[in-house]
Amino acid sequence: FTHDGRGGSGFIGQSLSQLLKNRGHQVTIISRQPGQQKITWADVSKNGLPICDAVVNLAGENVLNPLKRWTEQFKQEVTASRIETTRTITQAIRHSSSPPHTWVVVTGVGYYPPSQTQQYTEDSLGGNSDFLSRLVRDWESAAELPGTKGKTATRLVKVRTGVVLGRNGGALPTMLWPFWFCLGGVLGSGKQPFPWIHIEDLCRLLCHTIEQEGKVSGILNAVSPSAVTDTNASFTGALSKAMGRPALLFTPAFAVQMLFGSDRAPMLLEGQRVIPQRTLQSGFSFLYPNLDSALNQLLR
Ligand code: NDP
């Protein structure tokens, strides 16, 4: 398998590479930096993909990096690091004489419009409510294989993931330290939906997608089954319980807005109720179907 990453070196990429190797697959990483078992984006643009069964794109500048100001330049980096890498792979697949059987682009549930009441399956409409949703729309559309639709041997799977909870990266580690000092609490009203998935379940789902050839295609929502009812407040409660620390304080919405700005604050102060309908229908079963099971395992 060739697993891409401007991402192979990242939080999800490292975990997925390890799982694929454990399952006996061979992994090549696409990165900005050359290295062992790595090729660069320039190599792919120039020479195409090496012979492989599947490609997964996990590249992307961290949108919620609080150290980066939300300038036009940073927005462009956020966009280009996803869309240009996706396009590079799409082009390479189109021009390959022996294309991979599977092409997986990992995007986000930010595709669906934020709402406290609406529930979304993979069939729901979205892609036009804010910066993030339009980014996901363009990112997924860059993954399409135009001109070869219906003729190509390659099957495209779009995996829309929620917040990925893991020990070694993503949002969770930065959320933990306030709790250690008994300073943890909800963000804003706490009523915003909290779509999430355990890193191990996401990587298992990506393997399932690659290995279940012919059974899985189109869009898959990568969120835990309980995520449709989980909120920022229920996550805060479960985290507080798992850590044995009180969650007495709260961060007011204006503080989040001051830190992240008006384009990014909604990513924390709003959310989507997402159902993994097609994911479950594809025969996938979750190891961590609710917050207690996920957080107890991660904080053990
Ligand atoms: P990471 O930030 O851990 O890693 C992403 C990788 O992208 C890096 O290892 C790096 O690879 C590459 N990268 C980073 N910045 C840039 C840049 N400016 N230009 C080009 N490449 C860059 O991300 P995650 O593993 O957490 O996420 C992977 C993908 O999944 C991302 O696209 C993200 O948007 C998406 N996602 C993640 C969620 C999460 O909760 N983690 C939730 C929803 C979606 P290298 O240095 O090798 O080039």
Side-chain angles (χ1 to χ4, degrees), residues 6-7 9-12 31-32 58-61 81-82 161-162 164:
R6 281 182 153 172
S9 55
F11 164 50
I12 304 170
S31 171
R32 289 168 292 180
L58 283 164
E61 171 73 52
S81 59
R82 290 169 173 77
T161 178
V164 184

Side-chain angles (χ1 to χ4, degrees), residues 55-164:
V55 189
V56 183
N57 193 9
L58 283 164
E61 171 73 52
N62 179 2
V63 186
L64 281 174
N65 185 345
L67 302 175
K68 294 269 181 112
R69 285 197 312 119
W70 194 242
T71 57
E72 276 310 311
Q73 194 197 336
F74 182 60
K75 271 164 88 166
Q76 258 180 18
E77 257 178 71
V78 163
T79 305
S81 59
R82 290 169 173 77
I83 293 179
E84 280 170 21
T85 53
T86 300
R87 212 170 270 146
T88 302
I89 293 171
T90 308
Q91 289 293 334
I93 294 173
R94 284 180 69 196
H95 294 117
S96 171
S97 53
S98 53
H101 62 62
T102 305
W103 164 209
V104 187
V105 61
V106 179
T107 65
V109 295
Y111 177 82
Y112 307 111
S115 163
Q116 287 187 15
T117 50
Q118 194 71 43
Q119 299 188 354
Y120 301 110
T121 69
E122 290 86 348
D123 296 325
S124 303
L125 298 179
N128 201 20
S129 48
D130 51 23
F131 170 80
L132 192 61
S133 70
R134 283 186 283 274
L135 171 61
V136 175
R137 177 196 63 194
D138 296 345
W139 188 2
E140 291 184 354
S141 115
E144 296 287 349
L145 297 163
T148 48
K149 249 185 200 166
K151 287 182 226 156
T152 175
T154 305
R155 142 188 87 109
L156 171 62
V157 187
K158 300 167 183 174
V159 175
R160 293 182 184 149
T161 178
V163 177
V164 184

Side-chain angles (χ1 to χ4, degrees), residues 228-243:
V228 68
T229 52
D230 288 325
T231 60
N232 178 268
S234 59
F235 169 72
T236 305
L239 187 56
S240 158
K241 193 171 112 194
M243 292 179 76

Side-chain angles (χ1 to χ4, degrees), residues 109-110 112-120 132 161-163 165 175 186-197 223-236 265-275 291:
V109 295
Y112 307 111
S115 163
Q116 287 187 15
T117 50
Q118 194 71 43
Q119 299 188 354
Y120 301 110
L132 192 61
T161 178
V163 177
L165 299 180
M175 290 174 180
V186 298
L187 283 183
S189 70
K191 289 183 185 152
Q192 64 274 37
F194 185 72
W196 65 276
I197 185 166
V223 292
S224 151
S226 81
V228 68
T229 52
D230 288 325
T231 60
N232 178 268
S234 59
F235 169 72
T236 305
M267 298 174 199
L268 297 166
L269 298 172
E270 297 173 356
Q272 299 82 0
R273 293 196 183 280
V274 182
I275 305 170
L291 280 168

